[in-house]
C-alpha cells in the first residue's frame, strides 16, 4: 500500500523558470558545477530521476524516488551540493570522485539509500530524506566519471558513499498511484543500468578563480 503525503509544492524558483531556455541551449558543453539545478537521465532506460511527496508503503516509509519518461515534470529537478557544507562552492566544477548530495528542488529532501529492500526488485531502496536539504551521512554519493571533471555530455555513475551501491534503474514499473513510473534502487556493481547523464537545467558558471575544465 502507498501512503500519499500532503499535497506537494510544485513551484520552482523563479530563477530556474526564467533560465530554462538559455540553459537548454548550453547542454553538451562544459562541466557540471556546484549549485546547478538539473535533471538526470538514465541512459539505458530513458527515464529521468524523479521524486514527489508520495511515501513508500514498505521498507523505510520515506519519500519515494522513481524514474519518469517525460522531460517536462518539475519534480525531476535536483540541486548539486557538496557532501558536506563548504565542500562544493557555488560555480565550482564537480570533480570525478567528488562527494555530493543531490537535493530534490520541490521537496527539499536529499537522495538517500540504506539497507532496506526496494519494493519491486528487492534491490536496495533509494529514497528522498531530510528537511530543507539537511539529512544525514547516508545522503552522500560519489560521482564516478573519467577524466578530472563531470562533463555534461558524458555519462556518469553515482556510487553511494556509505553502502557502496550504484544508483540504478532496471525497468520495474509501479502501479497506482504512480502508474508507469520506474523503480530506482541501488545495485552492488557498475553496469548498464546505472549510467546517468545531465539533461535540462540551470548550470552555474564557474567562478573566475576556478580552473577551466576544458584546459585540463
Amino acid at each position: 500500500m502507498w501512503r500519499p503525503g500532503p499535497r506537494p509544492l510544485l513551484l520552482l524558483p523563479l530563477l530556474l523558470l526564467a533560465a530554462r531556455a538559455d540553459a537548454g541551449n548550453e547542454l553538451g558543453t562544459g562541466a557540471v558545477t556546484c549549485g546547478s539545478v538539473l535533471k538526470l537521465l538514465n541512459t539505458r532506460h530513458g527515464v529521468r530521476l524523479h521524486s514527489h511527496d508520495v511515501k513508500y508503503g514498505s521498507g523505510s516509509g520515506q519519500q519515494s524516488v522513481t524514474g519518469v519518461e517525460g522531460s517536462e515534470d518539475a519534480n525531476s529537478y535536483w540541486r548539486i551540493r557538496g557532501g558536506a557544507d563548504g565542500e562544493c562552492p557555488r560555480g565550482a566544477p564537480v570533480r570525478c570522485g567528488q562527494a555530493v548530495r543531490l537535493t530534490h528542488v520541490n521537496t527539499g529532501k536529499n537522495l538517500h539509500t540504506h539497507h532496506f529492500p526496494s519494493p519491486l526488485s528487492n534491490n536496495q531502496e533509494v529514497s528522498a530524506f531530510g528537511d530543507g536539504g539537511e539529512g544525514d551521512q547516508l545522503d552522500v554519493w560519489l560521482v564516478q566519471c573519467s577524466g578530472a571533471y563531470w562533463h555534461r555530455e558524458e555519462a556518469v555513475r553515482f556510487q553511494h558513499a556509505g553502502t557502496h551501491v550504484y544508483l540504478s534503474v532496471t525497468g520495474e514499473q509501479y502501479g497506482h498511484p504512480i502508474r508507469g513510473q520506474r523503480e530506482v534502487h541501488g545495485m552492488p556493481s557498475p553496469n548498464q543500468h546505472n549510467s546517468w547523464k545531465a539533461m535540462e537545467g540551470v548550470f552555474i558558471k564557474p567562478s573566475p578563480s576556478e580552473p577551466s575544465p576544458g584546459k585540463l
Side-chain angles (χ1 to χ4, degrees):
M1 292 290 294
W2 287 82
R3 300 196 302 270
R7 186 177 180 179
L9 178 64
L10 297 179
L11 297 178
L12 283 174
L14 292 178
L15 173 63
L16 176 57
L17 292 174
R20 274 182 69 185
D22 290 340
N25 292 335
E26 296 179 2
L27 288 176
T29 60
V32 175
T33 52
C34 300
S36 294
V37 173
L38 51 74
K39 295 181 180 181
L40 290 166
L41 177 75
N42 183 280
T43 61
R44 173 64 178 84
H45 295 276
V47 294
R48 285 162 173 79
L49 188 68
H50 181 89
S51 192
H52 38 224
D53 199 357
V54 176
K55 296 177 173 58
Y56 288 121
S58 61
S60 69
Q62 294 174 4
Q63 182 171 300
S64 58
V65 172
T66 63
V68 296
E69 292 183 347
S71 62
E72 298 300 318
D73 197 318
N75 270 325
S76 299
Y77 281 109
W78 301 81
R79 186 181 306 278
I80 307 297
R81 304 169 61 217
D85 291 340
E87 288 186 355
C88 195
R90 180 180 172 86
V94 177
R95 301 183 307 275
C96 294
Q98 183 167 342
V100 299
R101 288 173 290 176
L102 300 175
T103 301
H104 189 242
V105 171
N106 277 349
T107 63
K109 297 184 183 296
N110 295 327
L111 189 70
H112 181 96
T113 190
H114 38 216
H115 292 297
F116 286 96
S118 60
L120 301 183
S121 67
N122 207 38
N123 284 299
Q124 185 164 300
E125 180 191 280
V126 170
S127 65
F129 174 75
D131 186 26
E134 298 306 318
D136 63 20
Q137 72 278 6
L138 293 179
D139 301 341
V140 179
W141 299 78
L142 304 176
V143 180
Q144 290 198 346
C145 50
S146 58
Y149 293 96
W150 174 10
H151 286 269
R152 287 180 239 167
E153 66 272 20
E154 298 175 357
V156 302
R157 290 187 173 91
F158 297 96
Q159 185 178 27
H160 192 241
T163 65
H164 311 298
V165 297
Y166 291 84
L167 184 68
S168 306
V169 175
T170 50
E172 297 83 5
Q173 295 189 26
Y174 287 108
H176 180 79
I178 53 173
R179 185 175 304 277
Q181 295 187 23
R182 310 295 178 86
E183 181 184 84
V184 173
H185 49 247
M187 299 185 75
S189 59
N191 57 53
Q192 62 181 339
H193 301 295
N194 39 59
S195 178
W196 300 86
K197 186 177 180 182
M199 298 299 287
E200 306 85 359
V202 175
F203 296 90
I204 305 301
K205 292 182 178 180
S207 64
S209 61
E210 292 294 334
S212 172
K215 295 181 180 180
L216 295 179

